[in-house]
Amino acid sequence: MNADALKELLENVKNGQMPVDRALSTLKDLPYTDLGYAMVDHHRALRSGHPETIFSPGKTVTQIVGIARRLLEKDANIMATRADRQVYEALKSICDPVEYHAAARIVVMNRKPVTPTQTTILVMCAGTSDIPVAEEAAVTAEVMGNRVERLTDVGVAGIHRLLSNREKIEAASVLVVVAGMDGALPSVAAGLTDKPVIAVPTSIGYGASFGGLAALLTMLNACANGVTVVNIDNGYGAGYAASTINRIANRTTKDR
């Protein structure tokens, strides 16, 4: 339940359109429901602006469905991340509408229209192999109500590809920069803009990349200012952080 839904409920009680007992029944599961295997956090949207996200790996399909059923009772725009098609098919049987973003490996349930921000998040990736992580960031940000631009295959091996997109870089309020191999792209991108840069190392690369550790260390040691780094392959975390920053930028734009 988000802030708008709670305000509507209280207004309905105030105006006599909803009995107090019914309102109490609606609120009784706040702040969470104990399913035995999960404490489903119904208070998350009120605190942070977006409902709890289901991280699929390590959970059985039955557990994922059980958590989703509880969230669907109170929330919209619910995401299940790192979800395969089996998870999608199971969730499709309990929810309409449901979307599967295959590249991002994200299932979106009960999606409701959200007015997109005026300000923009730019999600860029160094190589085509980095697209799944970049898409996880982009879809996450879009579901959270952000205007998102994408820029693909602009790694430092062909720096002219990045430089020819200076207008997109300058127009964004925050950049999510995804790269594997040597992980150099975020430092270069940050040197071209005064906007925050969220760097995402991926596990793409040959043996000495150590599953993304080399890219992670490069990004942590970036010489450009304004670079913040999330964990290896954590597109969701980057998209969420970018959304938080972009919402602040959007409010500032509206107040002008």
Side-chain angles (χ1 to χ4, degrees), residues 85-144:
R85 191 159 290 276
Q86 183 184 10
V87 170
Y88 164 60
E89 294 294 339
L91 293 174
K92 191 168 65 170
S93 69
I94 66 165
C95 177
D96 183 28
V98 60
E99 307 165 11
Y100 185 49
H101 299 267
R105 294 171 293 173
I106 291 177
V107 177
V108 183
M109 292 164 279
N110 194 26
R111 188 163 188 174
K112 302 297 182 184
V114 178
T115 302
T117 55
Q118 297 176 33
T119 50
T120 303
I121 296 171
L122 176 60
V123 177
M124 68 169 72
C125 63
T128 303
S129 298
D130 301 311
I131 286 177
V133 177
E135 275 300 295
E136 186 177 54
V139 172
T140 296
E142 286 175 332
V143 172
M144 292 179 176

Side-chain angles (χ1 to χ4, degrees), residues 190-202:
L192 298 175
T193 181
D194 60 351
K195 309 298 172 47
V197 171
I198 301 171
V200 190
T202 73

Side-chain angles (χ1 to χ4, degrees), residues 21-81:
D21 287 345
R22 183 178 164 195
L24 183 62
S25 176
T26 301
L27 295 171
K28 70 179 182 178
D29 287 332
L30 289 178
Y32 63 87
T33 299
D34 185 355
L35 298 180
Y37 55 85
M39 299 281 195
V40 182
D41 186 359
H42 300 298
H43 204 261
R44 186 79 57 93
L46 284 172
R47 297 194 315 272
S48 62
H50 194 271
E52 182 174 5
T53 295
I54 305 168
F55 180 69
S56 301
K59 297 180 179 70
T60 66
V61 173
T62 300
Q63 288 171 338
I64 293 169
V65 169
I67 294 167
R69 283 186 190 277
R70 286 295 187 172
L71 289 172
L72 287 166
E73 291 174 5
K74 299 183 184 296
D75 289 302
N77 299 331
I78 301 161
M79 291 187 290
T81 61

